[in-house]
Amino acid sequence: MPRYVIERTVPGVHRLNAESMKNLAASSNKVLHEMGPDVQWEHSYVAPDKLFCVYLAANEDLVREHAKRGGFPIDKVTQIRTVIDPTTGE
C-alpha cells in the first residue's frame, strides 16, 4: 500500500498531556476500525502546533475520509515514493 505523510496544524498539540494524547489516538483508532484495513495509521510526530502523521492507505481519498470522519485537520498530504536512510549510502 502507498505511504503518506499528513501535515496537520493543531494549535497547542505539543502541550497535550498523556491522557489527552491517549484520547486523540483512541478517536483516530475508532474511525480506522470502522473504515477497515485499506487505511492504517503507522505513527505521528508531534511538533509545536503540528502533527506529522504517517499512514498506509490504498489511496489519498481514504486518508482524507479518515480525517473528515474523525474531525482531524489536514493541511497537506504527500505520497512517499521511497525511503532512504544512512544504509542507503553504503
Side-chain angles (χ1 to χ4, degrees):
M1 260 194 295
R3 179 173 278 120
Y4 298 89
V5 174
I6 299 93
E7 181 179 343
R8 307 177 195 278
T9 298
V10 183
V13 70
H14 59 290
R15 291 188 292 269
L16 293 179
N17 62 28
E19 186 68 21
S20 295
M21 288 287 185
K22 178 181 176 182
N23 292 337
L24 184 63
S27 176
S28 177
N29 289 340
K30 181 180 182 289
V31 174
L32 288 166
H33 178 75
E34 293 168 357
M35 292 182 68
D38 286 340
V39 58
Q40 301 166 22
W41 175 31
E42 287 193 327
H43 59 273
S44 295
Y45 298 99
V46 180
D49 299 321
K50 292 277 188 179
L51 287 174
F52 296 90
C53 305
V54 181
Y55 278 71
L56 297 175
N59 57 61
E60 183 178 328
D61 291 341
L62 288 171
V63 171
R64 292 186 178 280
E65 180 64 22
H66 171 263
K68 180 180 173 184
R69 289 189 193 187
F72 307 119
I74 287 186
D75 298 331
K76 185 176 181 181
V77 177
T78 304
Q79 185 175 354
I80 303 306
R81 298 294 180 185
T82 193
V83 176
I84 64 171
D85 62 29
T87 64
T88 306
E90 295 174 359

